[in-house]
Amino acid sequence: MKFKLLVFSCFASLSLFSQNKSDEWHLTANSRQNYFGVAMANGQIGIVTNDEPLKTKEIILNGVYQPSLENGISKIVRGIEFLNLHMSINNELIKSDNIDNWSQQVSMKEGMSSVSFSFKESATINYTILANRAIPYSAMAIVEITPKKDIEITVNNYMVVPEELKEAKSQYRVLKDNQFLMPVFGTSAKTLNGKVTIAASTTFLFDGDKEPLKQTGDEVGFTKKLVKGKKYRFAIAGGICTSKDITDPLNESERQPIFALQEGIDKLVERHKQAWAELWNTGDIQIEGDLDAQQRVRFALYNLYSFIRPETRQSIAPMGLSSQGYNGHIFWDSELWMYPTLLALQPELAKSCLDYRSDRLEKAKQKATIYGYKGAMFPWESDDTGEEATPTWALTGIFEQHITADVAIAFWNYYALTQDKSWLKSEYKVLKETADFWVSRVVKNTDGSYSILNVVGADEYAQHVDDNAFTNASAIEALRNTIKAATILGEPINPKWVAVSDNIMIHRENGITQNYKGYSGQTIKQGDVNLLAYPLHIITDREQIIKDLAYYSEKVDKKDGPAMAHGILSVLYARLGDKEKAYEHFVKAYLPNSRPPFGVFSESANSNNPYFATGAGAMLQAVIYGFGGVEQTDNGLKYNKGNLPKQWKSLKIIGLGIDNKTILIKD
């Protein structure tokens, strides 16, 4: 074990922290080797950074899907890249292979990425991008040039239309309102099925006099002479809109650069920074004595915050807005792994995840009907429709049914935190319909107990198994929560909810809780049984928790298992008082999965699919609900004595619960 941790630490020193200017709020990279970018996102759009100068990698649009041509399964859509620039100095184009002194800094505090480099002996250039947190469909790239001698620059904005879009059309026009001239460059396209129109529009912003713009082919830009030593700044600003959200996305996209022209660079940046400051002021984690852990935790928080916003009624996919990984679908990753951190620190962001499910309740009821059950059966993979979006070859789409309980538990936990009875009354239908599903799904045994047969477990290596521990336990907890909600609201309680929740089978063998009926020690993909102690409240006996931990911590797939299991194991060991093992699993929850140069999360130690927001959520739970001593109860958050690893001097968690409580734990 010690040898493996040493290997992981060496990997980290070679990847993430080949940085010499990093601090608790900034991550800095000086190498483009094996580069994995960071999503500059605002909950609506995600702009992934690139190691190539003046260029983004891709843009991900929240909640916009289209079927793939290969199998008809929906996939989240990439947007038109609208912040890209071609820049020439003295008629020589800046390219990836003719720059020097490249470095990139990610400001987690301000949600901005800045790349600097030098071009020959002519100039140093800084390119900063942001997806405006205050203005959801808006983004901007700011360029600062410091000439080392007198030079002439030519700058052109160009747009990249991804292959999953068609019928691309570009236009440049100068709009006029009285004395105001407003140059706008735009591109629109449709998804391949023609159902969604996407439009992006930009303009140039200047500190001083506006430069005359000229269209050359599919690019728009300007030429200007610069004087040695005199810094010059401009920006490309605009936005991207879709017909999913806006009836006329083309015109609204044009209003984004027009708005930017009237606001100016500094005011737009200030509004963006202020919006991020409000998030950090109401939800932050501060670790003293361990800069590496502080950076990782802040980076995880930054990504979770950047992938969601409260008014969208959208949830978070496993890769957030960083890529099309897992087709951008919504899984249990949202409710079980990311939601608990958001619920503790940013309840309004967490609520958006619930809004997403509530809006699709009717489709969940339809799915239950399709398979001959009552109530609501939520899809394992969900897109904008709320119908099952899992590829048809994957058994998870039909049989990984614990998702229905996971959704219900998340709803109850929101009420438990807020104690908002009006909200509970309006959303009670979700709890009731999921409870009705479970009583129609179980099978009654001859001894009066109940089983849930033929499922895929939370441990997805367990397929076609009976009485999977997490499936059964989550159903118990969901049913019990529904009974509590009905009692609070004075709603009728179905006697079957009580009978089933009291008698669902949880199997044990030789003192160990069984992963499923007949389990005999096979390798497991991720946590399953251990989830019954946390985040569920089904196993509460300390000795049973210890036995199950000792047994299953050695069963997790050490090669390809996802990061989440270690986050849960860390929580449990911290609560048991074993700080050494808690910290060991905390480190395992992120370090093997970190990718250069900034440490973006990959799903497993052997994959390269960052940013894996699910893993980030699990690691953050280890901090809040493990080392921090925070506990979710039916009466809100409970603050137990924390348990810090020896590497940390103190842990401060800011903005907990609806009263924004701050806790400070010292070693």
Side-chain angles (χ1 to χ4, degrees):
M1 189 66 69
K2 289 182 179 179
F3 173 75
K4 287 183 178 178
L5 285 174
L6 177 62
V7 172
F8 293 159
S9 298
C10 291
F11 176 81
S13 66
L14 291 173
S15 61
L16 171 55
F17 301 100
S18 58
Q19 305 174 7
N20 54 25
K21 295 181 181 178
S22 298
D23 58 38
E24 64 178 86
W25 283 109
H26 300 87
L27 303 176
T28 304
N30 298 306
S31 171
R32 293 189 280 166
Q33 187 176 4
N34 299 319
Y35 179 92
F36 291 89
V38 179
M40 297 295 109
N42 64 6
Q44 189 66 48
I45 56 177
I47 305 171
V48 184
T49 64
N50 202 325
D51 65 320
E52 295 184 34
L54 309 173
K55 187 180 187 304
T56 58
K57 179 187 176 185
E58 60 186 352
I59 292 179
I60 304 297
L61 303 176
N62 195 0
V64 182
Y65 298 86
Q66 70 169 337
S68 71
L69 294 178
E70 295 81 14
N71 56 18
I73 298 300
S74 64
K75 189 173 189 177
I76 201 165
V77 172
R78 291 186 295 166
I80 300 163
E81 292 177 57
F82 59 97
L83 297 181
N84 293 331
L85 296 169
H86 284 141
M87 182 185 297
S88 295
I89 295 181
N90 295 335
N91 294 317
E92 187 174 356
L93 182 66
I94 294 173
K95 298 184 294 186
S96 186
D97 60 359
N98 64 5
I99 61 171
D100 296 301
N101 303 313
W102 179 95
S103 68
Q104 182 181 354
Q105 185 175 82
V106 173
S107 171
M108 298 177 284
K109 188 172 188 176
E110 297 173 340
M112 300 167 69
S113 165
S114 296
V115 171
S116 11
F117 58 89
S118 58
F119 181 72
K120 310 273 175 104
E121 298 300 319
S122 300
T124 57
I125 296 152
N126 185 279
Y127 171 78
T128 298
I129 63 170
L130 61 93
N132 201 305
R133 183 77 201 187
I135 311 169
Y137 299 95
S138 172
M140 181 164 60
I142 306 166
V143 180
E144 292 184 342
I145 304 170
T146 304
K148 297 178 182 178
K149 59 183 180 181
D150 292 352
I151 59 174
E152 182 178 76
I153 63 169
T154 298
V155 180
N156 282 295
N157 173 219
Y158 68 98
M159 300 191 182
V160 176
V161 179
E163 60 187 11
E164 60 253 48
L165 302 182
K166 66 177 183 178
E167 299 179 21
K169 298 176 183 177
S170 297
Q171 67 173 2
Y172 171 65
R173 55 185 184 149
V174 180
L175 307 175
K176 183 178 181 181
D177 186 354
N178 293 323
Q179 74 272 30
F180 293 107
L181 297 178
M182 298 167 285
V184 175
F185 175 45
T187 298
S188 65
K190 292 182 180 294
T191 52
L192 294 180
N193 61 6
K195 289 187 176 180
V196 179
T197 298
I198 298 169
S201 299
T202 59
T203 194
F204 282 90
L205 309 181
F206 300 97
D207 276 340
D209 295 336
K210 296 179 181 179
E211 300 298 327
L213 302 182
K214 178 182 178 182
Q215 182 175 15
T216 306
D218 290 331
E219 302 184 0
V220 172
F222 66 94
T223 298
K224 184 175 178 61
K225 292 182 178 179
L226 305 183
V227 178
K228 176 182 177 180
K230 187 176 181 181
K231 185 177 291 186
Y232 180 71
R233 186 179 75 156
F234 67 90
I236 186 76
I240 185 166
C241 303
T242 78
S243 58
K244 174 186 173 292
D245 300 319
I246 297 164
T247 303
D248 188 345
L250 177 58
N251 280 334
E252 189 55 51
S253 76
E254 289 187 332
R255 292 186 183 99
Q256 299 299 308
I258 291 171
F259 180 77
L261 278 168
Q262 309 311 312
E263 294 284 281
I265 298 173
D266 292 331
K267 191 171 182 180
L268 290 169
V269 171
E270 183 56 33
R271 289 188 64 186
H272 169 75
K273 288 182 178 180
Q274 184 179 348
W276 267 106
E278 289 172 2
L279 281 174
W280 291 117
N281 289 339
T282 56
D284 189 22
I285 298 173
Q286 298 175 1
I287 299 169
E288 182 186 7
D290 188 344
L291 177 60
D292 181 72
Q294 175 67 86
Q295 288 173 324
R296 311 275 188 161
V297 165
R298 277 254 174 76
F299 196 37
L301 272 178
Y302 159 76
N303 279 280
L304 281 195
Y305 289 173
S306 70
F307 293 155
I308 194 168
R309 54 190 309 119
E311 72 274 14
T312 62
R313 304 184 73 87
Q314 294 290 338
S315 192
I316 310 179
M319 305 302 172
L321 296 175
S322 70
S323 76
Q324 294 174 302
Y326 286 110
N327 296 317
H329 292 164
I330 308 301
F331 295 70
W332 75 317
D333 302 51
S334 175
E335 282 80 16
L336 203 84
W337 302 103
M338 294 179 266
Y339 173 85
T341 293
L342 293 173
L343 182 63
L345 296 177
Q346 301 289 350
E348 282 304 300
L349 297 185
K351 182 175 173 293
S352 185
C353 299
L354 307 184
D355 294 337
Y356 171 86
R357 295 296 189 184
S358 183
D359 290 348
R360 292 158 180 79
L361 178 61
E362 291 304 312
K363 284 297 183 180
K365 291 168 66 176
Q366 181 188 59
K367 182 179 179 183
T369 300
I370 288 172
Y371 290 97
Y373 302 121
K374 304 293 185 183
M377 180 183 181
F378 281 93
W380 177 242
E381 297 186 30
S382 181
D383 55 19
D384 53 339
T385 68
E387 295 182 3
E388 184 59 67
T390 306
T392 51
W393 56 263
L395 293 175
T396 52
I398 304 173
F399 297 103
E400 193 155 359
Q401 296 166 2
H402 63 78
I403 179 66
T404 296
D406 304 335
V407 170
I409 291 166
F411 272 74
W412 172 256
N413 285 342
Y414 182 82
Y415 167 74
L417 181 91
T418 64
Q419 300 294 304
D420 185 342
K421 291 183 182 178
S422 296
W423 178 88
L424 181 63
K425 184 176 181 179
S426 69
E427 299 296 344
Y428 173 70
K429 57 186 180 293
V430 175
L431 295 171
K432 178 186 180 300
E433 296 292 349
T434 53
D436 286 344
F437 166 76
W438 287 114
V439 298
S440 75
R441 178 64 178 86
V442 297
V443 173
K444 192 170 185 177
N445 300 312
T446 55
D447 62 357
S449 66
Y450 292 90
S451 289
I452 303 176
L453 308 179
N454 193 16
V455 298
V456 174
D459 162 28
E460 290 177 342
Y461 293 169
Q463 298 183 329
H464 292 308
V465 298
D466 298 336
D467 288 334
N468 165 250
F470 181 73
T471 302
N472 287 19
S474 61
I476 293 170
E477 187 139 327
L479 286 164
R480 289 176 178 174
N481 291 342
T482 304
I483 295 166
K484 294 175 200 171
T487 302
I488 291 167
L489 297 174
E491 295 285 346
I493 296 172
N494 185 341
K496 291 183 179 178
W497 299 345
V498 179
V500 172
S501 63
D502 286 346
N503 293 286
I504 292 181
M505 294 292 294
I506 302 290
H507 294 274
R508 288 190 174 86
E509 187 76 27
N510 298 322
I512 303 298
T513 305
Q514 294 297 281
N515 192 13
Y516 50 85
K517 183 179 180 181
Y519 174 77
S520 56
Q522 295 92 329
T523 296
I524 62 176
K525 180 179 179 180
Q526 59 199 23
D528 194 306
V529 166
N530 303 118
L531 299 173
L532 276 61
Y534 174 85
L536 302 185
H537 306 85
I538 301 303
I539 295 180
T540 57
D541 179 74
R542 179 182 175 88
E543 292 307 312
Q544 187 65 57
I545 293 171
I546 291 172
K547 288 179 183 178
D548 290 342
L549 266 175
Y551 186 80
Y552 284 104
S553 62
E554 295 303 314
K555 300 299 182 185
V556 175
D557 189 331
K558 295 177 175 59
K559 181 174 180 249
D560 296 315
M564 301 102 73
H566 294 292
I568 295 300
L569 297 177
S570 178
V571 170
L572 292 172
Y573 277 119
R575 290 184 170 188
L576 290 169
D578 192 334
K579 296 189 287 187
E580 184 175 341
K581 282 195 173 181
Y583 186 75
E584 175 185 313
H585 284 285
F586 168 72
V587 172
K588 284 183 177 181
Y590 65 82
L591 195 54
N593 306 61
S594 299
R595 298 295 174 263
F598 299 109
V600 293
F601 272 83
S602 191
E603 184 175 8
S604 74
N606 295 295
S607 63
N608 289 307
N609 58 347
Y611 186 88
F612 188 49
T614 309
M619 184 261 271
L620 290 169
Q621 288 187 58
V623 177
I624 298 170
Y625 297 104
F627 301 128
V630 179
E631 181 183 353
Q632 287 184 359
T633 76
D634 289 343
N635 298 308
L637 296 181
K638 181 181 178 183
Y639 303 103
N640 302 309
K641 185 178 182 295
N643 204 356
L644 296 191
K646 64 182 181 182
Q647 291 83 351
W648 299 1
K649 294 181 180 178
S650 70
L651 169 66
K652 180 186 282 189
I653 306 178
I654 298 169
L656 285 161
I658 58 173
D659 54 355
N660 287 315
K661 184 179 178 63
T662 294
I663 62 172
L664 176 63
I665 302 162
K666 291 189 175 181
D667 188 17

